Amino acid sequence: MNRYFTKDHEWVEIDGATATVGITDYAQGQLGDITFVELPAEGATLAQGDSASVVDSVKAASDVYSPVSGTVSGVNEALADNPELVNSAAEGDGWLWRMTLSDASELGALMDEPAYRSFVDTL
């Protein structure tokens, strides 16, 4: 398994020591049309659960929490001119940031995709 989910509706995909983070398709659906995405600074050090980003939509502004600890190694620059990319491809090209993991053991506390889908079915 290389993709994990949180109860706050973030996903994280692992490739070696690199984690790519985004919000889930469920989350973008709940937010509605995304109008702006505030991304963390490259080089920022985040702890698991830190507020790292804000997604603004026609309905609300929502914090995005870091699903794991690490250092931000890149952000999705395409979102500056095209924030609605989160709506059209939340779990693909609409990713938010990449980070270098500092504690891979934190992944054990996250859900796999079937567990996340079951969680969403209870909402």
Side-chain angles (χ1 to χ4, degrees), residues 22-86:
I23 65 170
T24 65
D25 190 59
Y26 175 82
Q28 72 77 24
Q30 294 296 305
L31 288 168
D33 293 338
I34 306 293
T35 57
F36 182 76
V37 180
E38 179 184 320
L39 297 168
E42 289 189 39
T45 300
L46 301 172
Q48 187 178 39
D50 280 355
S51 177
S53 182
V54 177
V55 175
D56 289 333
S57 72
V58 294
K59 290 184 178 177
S62 296
D63 287 331
V64 180
Y65 301 98
S66 184
V68 291
S69 299
T71 302
V72 176
S73 58
V75 298
N76 189 348
E77 301 286 351
L79 298 178
D81 294 329
N82 192 13
E84 59 274 7
L85 191 57
V86 177

Side-chain angles (χ1 to χ4, degrees), residues 8 10 13 16 25 31 39-40 59-60 71 77 91 95-96 103 105 123:
D8 292 321
E10 292 97 12
E13 187 167 289
D25 190 59
L31 288 168
L39 297 168
K59 290 184 178 177
T71 302
E77 301 286 351
E91 297 184 27
W95 61 275
L96 302 181
D103 185 358
S105 71
L123 301 177

